[in-house]
Amino acid sequence: MSKLVSTVFVTLDGVHQAPGGPQEDTSGGFTQGGWSFPHGDEDFGGFATDVFGRAGAFLLGRRTYDIFASYWPKVTDPTDPIAAGLNALPKYVVSATLEAPEWSGTTVVRGDLAKEVRSLKEHTDKELQVHGSGALVRSLIDLRLLDTLHLLTFPVVLGAGRRLFPEGMVPTGFRHTGGQVTGSGVSIQTYDLAGSPEYGSYELPDDA
């Protein structure tokens, strides 16, 4: 069974909306798109190349799928590791309304999300990867289907935009499995899901 791995970009205040460009996602009146671009250095590129090299298929939310489908098919350089993977490998988009996707290799996922994702994990070689797709990532975490989260935190505070983890998430614990900080200050940390959080207290015992 393949691992389900998510890669998400967030700001220091938890915003994940429109990291790639000003017009990528202006929903809700968001005007600060493109905040990840100034940090795309060699370290960042190396990480992305490694991640996409492990991909066997992609699982995307509808919003991220539309953004990707409007851009990556136009990148035809066969040496581009991201474009090569996204354009050639199977893509599964979770949507109740998408009828006829034009991006080659796309299958629409409907119905019981947990059942469909378990089936995809069973039938995918290498990693089943989620990129962006914040709402989908939250659902996969709540359903305990996500195996690994690559969380890339960029050194910027925006004060507006959709947060990756709003109130209402199922409490979840993670185990840190590796990380690095790029030359431009992006903290790349990898976590595996570890079930429910553990709790304790720093209070002194009564007989202290």
Side-chain angles (χ1 to χ4, degrees), residues 5-207:
V5 180
S6 168
T7 300
V8 186
F9 300 175
V10 296
T11 64
L12 288 173
D13 54 339
V15 174
H16 72 98
Q17 186 171 356
Q23 302 304 315
E24 188 176 76
D25 179 5
T26 59
S27 61
F30 188 64
T31 61
Q32 300 185 73
W35 43 267
S36 76
F37 180 79
H39 304 281
D41 61 9
E42 184 175 345
D43 293 337
F44 179 84
F47 170 80
T49 297
D50 289 345
V51 166
F52 278 88
R54 296 192 295 270
F58 301 98
L59 177 66
L60 303 170
R62 174 64 186 275
R63 192 190 304 271
T64 297
Y65 175 82
D66 286 345
I67 292 169
F68 280 15
S70 69
Y71 180 81
W72 288 110
K74 301 173 185 176
V75 182
T76 57
D77 180 357
T79 66
D80 186 310
I82 299 176
L86 284 170
N87 289 323
L89 292 172
K91 292 164 286 291
Y92 301 95
V93 54
V94 179
S95 175
T97 57
L98 183 61
E99 297 293 341
E102 297 181 0
W103 196 2
S104 176
T106 297
T107 300
V108 179
V109 175
R110 309 185 194 279
D112 186 317
L113 180 63
K115 179 181 178 180
E116 295 295 332
V117 171
R118 289 191 186 99
S119 178
L120 290 177
K121 292 177 70 172
E122 290 174 357
H123 295 94
T124 299
D125 294 328
K126 302 175 73 174
E127 291 182 354
L128 177 61
Q129 294 187 354
V130 185
H131 293 271
S133 309
L136 175 60
V137 170
R138 291 192 291 272
S139 295
L140 295 170
I141 291 174
D142 286 352
L143 291 168
R144 299 300 194 248
L145 291 172
L146 190 71
D147 296 299
T148 299
L149 171 66
H150 300 306
L151 190 67
L152 281 68
T153 305
F154 289 73
V156 59
V157 170
L158 300 180
R162 286 193 306 277
R163 267 64 175 178
L164 177 60
F165 295 128
E167 290 189 17
M169 289 286 298
V170 173
T172 305
F174 294 83
R175 182 176 65 257
H176 184 252
T177 58
Q180 67 180 100
V181 178
T182 71
S184 67
V186 179
S187 176
I188 303 175
Q189 303 300 325
T190 299
Y191 304 92
D192 286 350
L193 251 70
S196 298
E198 298 181 359
Y199 303 94
S201 173
Y202 290 104
E203 293 182 4
L204 295 174
D206 292 338
D207 57 354

